[in-house]
Amino acid sequence: GGMKAVLWTDSFQVIMMVISLLAILIQAAIIVGGWGYAWESAARTNRIWFTDFSVDPSVRHSVWSLTIGAYFTWVAIFGTNQAMVQRAVTCPTLKKAQIAMWLNFPGLCIILYLSCFIGIFMASFYEKCDPITTKFVSNSNEILPMFVMDILGHVVGLPGLFVAGLFSGALSTISSGLNSISACVLEDICRAYFKSYFRESRARLLSQLLALGFGIICLAMTYVASLLGNILQAALSLFGMIGGPLLGVFTLGMFFPWANKWGAYSGLFGSLILMFWIGVGAAIVQPPLEKAIVSVEYCNYTAFNASLLIKPAVSNVTVVRDAVYPLYTLSYMWYSATAVAACVVIGLIVSFITGATKPTELDARVICPIFDILFPFLPESIRKPLRFGVVHEG
């Protein structure tokens, strides 16, 4: 279904992404004055914070939300996301699929770390002239393109390299996503419910038409995406709202032998409704967030209308959260973990109400003996009751 083409284009596009990010990072370091100055600037403006161990789930970024919460988000992306699963099953053996996943890890870290370093240099560059406060840009997603033009606009071709990297990042995601969703609809819906057998030529044509149709839907959804604010937070929020319930269904089926299909359906749709209620509510109500310190002290206003400006400095303010919408203050980093917990709890309750599956009658290959894996050193007399009657011998 065109998977080889997707993988080759993704490989080329990731090279373009890394080259464009490196070009921005190197030029930013030269202009700002090095890593030390940028780090001091980030510390001054309250952007460096490694020691927030608050267990309050409404704290947007804490040690726990970025480790435990993000763990569930990334497990959902790598374990249940159709695009990732499709990549894994195209590998000839399980071992090669595992190697491919592990090779993805350092590549992803490189992209994320380069982006974070660029963000630190960018914050330092605009420390005394915040573009959002001065209305030079309308939202935070526009700051990076403005930064690129400020530091690379004088070099012919380099802004174009940034645009190429930007489009490479978008296309690598969209191409694999459209390919995987069209293949999924073809195999799991068209073949299953309408016609079990398609000629290869007809199946290929239908797959291409599905990809075209979903591509048009994606174009229409770009307007909705433009209203979601910070694009990274929006993307991770959607991963948590949609991927979390899927991970919850997998968790329910893999670790709880009593679950049945009614529990799976209820858990999936119940957690999906809950997460969309929280996510959409947070996007509409927009609870107050603690933000970094910004300033417009050194801005050059000569070319701008002074009436557009607001107060020259915004300091750190204590965030007061209204009790009317306590759920909406939940950090987006906890969305996936919350969805998994909700899916498992709802699924087990409904399963027991509708008639739980008997563990002794279950095919042991579909259940993960989690306690045998985590605690193989425990004696058999302790581990056997923890299998809950599932027979794993043989």
Side-chain angles (χ1 to χ4, degrees):
M3 192 64 190
K4 184 179 288 187
V6 167
L7 292 176
W8 275 111
T9 53
D10 281 5
S11 301
F12 172 74
Q13 286 157 355
V14 78
I15 293 171
M16 294 298 299
M17 289 164 61
V18 172
I19 291 173
S20 62
L21 289 174
L22 282 173
I24 299 168
L25 181 63
I26 293 168
Q27 182 66 9
I30 293 170
I31 288 181
V32 169
W35 175 251
Y37 181 83
W39 188 263
E40 290 173 6
S41 170
R44 279 197 301 271
T45 54
N46 201 31
R47 285 182 166 88
I48 304 298
W49 194 255
F50 288 109
T51 55
D52 191 342
F53 288 92
S54 171
V55 294
D56 182 359
S58 65
V59 175
R60 188 162 171 258
H61 295 139
S62 67
V63 171
W64 308 119
S65 69
L66 292 172
T67 51
I68 301 173
Y71 167 81
F72 282 93
T73 301
W74 286 106
V75 168
I77 292 171
F78 279 92
T80 65
N81 183 281
Q82 167 65 14
M84 293 301 297
V85 172
Q86 188 187 31
R87 284 182 171 90
V89 298
T90 57
C91 296
T93 63
L94 175 62
K95 189 70 177 176
K96 288 188 177 181
Q98 291 169 339
I99 292 172
M101 289 290 186
W102 279 111
L103 287 175
N104 181 275
F105 173 69
L108 182 64
C109 287
I110 289 170
I111 295 288
L112 291 176
Y113 286 136
L114 286 176
S115 301
C116 289
F117 293 152
I118 289 171
I120 290 175
F121 281 115
M122 190 166 61
S124 174
F125 185 81
Y126 293 120
E127 179 183 355
K128 297 297 183 180
C129 184
D130 179 57
I132 297 179
T133 304
T134 55
K135 304 293 178 69
F136 294 169
V137 295
S138 58
N139 62 68
S140 59
N141 298 319
E142 298 175 1
I143 298 179
L144 182 57
M146 177 181 174
F147 180 60
V148 170
M149 292 307 299
D150 282 341
I151 67 171
L152 292 173
H154 64 286
V155 183
V156 177
L158 280 182
L161 179 65
F162 165 72
V163 173
L166 196 67
F167 276 97
S168 292
L171 287 172
S172 63
T173 303
I174 291 171
S175 61
S176 56
L178 293 179
N179 179 272
S180 63
I181 197 170
S182 62
C184 185
V185 170
L186 176 67
E187 294 294 329
D188 296 342
I189 297 177
C190 296
R191 290 189 192 273
Y193 294 103
F194 297 104
K195 194 174 182 180
S196 59
Y197 175 76
F198 284 97
R199 290 199 308 271
E200 186 62 29
S201 59
R202 184 169 294 180
R204 187 185 299 113
L205 177 62
L206 181 57
S207 177
Q208 292 168 344
L209 290 174
L210 286 169
L212 177 63
F214 286 118
I216 293 170
I217 293 172
C218 283
L219 284 174
M221 291 296 288
T222 54
Y223 173 72
V224 180
S226 68
L227 304 176
L228 294 178
N230 184 302
I231 197 66
L232 178 62
Q233 177 173 333
L236 291 175
S237 298
L238 285 173
F239 276 133
M241 291 156 60
I242 299 171
L246 283 176
L247 179 61
V249 172
F250 276 83
T251 304
L252 182 69
M254 288 171 61
F255 300 116
F256 299 92
W258 310 280
N260 61 22
K261 65 176 183 179
W262 302 115
Y265 284 135
S266 303
L268 173 64
F269 290 109
S271 59
L272 201 61
I273 292 169
L274 172 65
M275 296 319 300
F276 267 89
W277 175 29
I278 295 174
V280 174
I284 295 172
V285 176
Q286 294 183 347
L289 297 172
E290 196 168 354
K291 296 183 178 180
I293 300 170
V294 297
S295 170
V296 294
E297 184 181 350
Y298 293 160
C299 284
N300 181 2
Y301 302 133
T302 54
F304 296 90
N305 186 345
S307 65
L308 294 177
L309 302 178
I310 58 174
K311 290 183 180 179
V314 180
S315 60
N316 233 11
V317 225
T318 305
V319 177
V320 180
R321 294 183 173 90
D322 195 333
V324 174
Y325 47 82
L327 275 180
Y328 299 159
T329 62
L330 179 70
S331 169
Y332 69 99
M333 297 303 298
W334 286 110
Y335 281 7
S336 190
T338 304
V340 171
C343 182
V344 170
V345 171
I346 295 171
L348 285 176
I349 291 173
V350 173
S351 293
F352 280 111
I353 291 174
T354 57
T357 303
K358 294 181 180 178
T360 51
E361 299 175 359
L362 202 62
D363 185 347
R365 291 173 298 178
V366 302
I367 291 292
C368 176
I370 184 67
F371 295 103
D372 287 339
I373 294 172
L374 294 178
F375 309 110
F377 50 84
L378 291 176
E380 177 65 16
S381 58
I382 295 178
R383 284 188 287 128
K384 185 176 181 180
L386 296 177
R387 297 186 192 117
F388 307 108
V390 180
V391 181
H392 287 281
E393 286 80 6

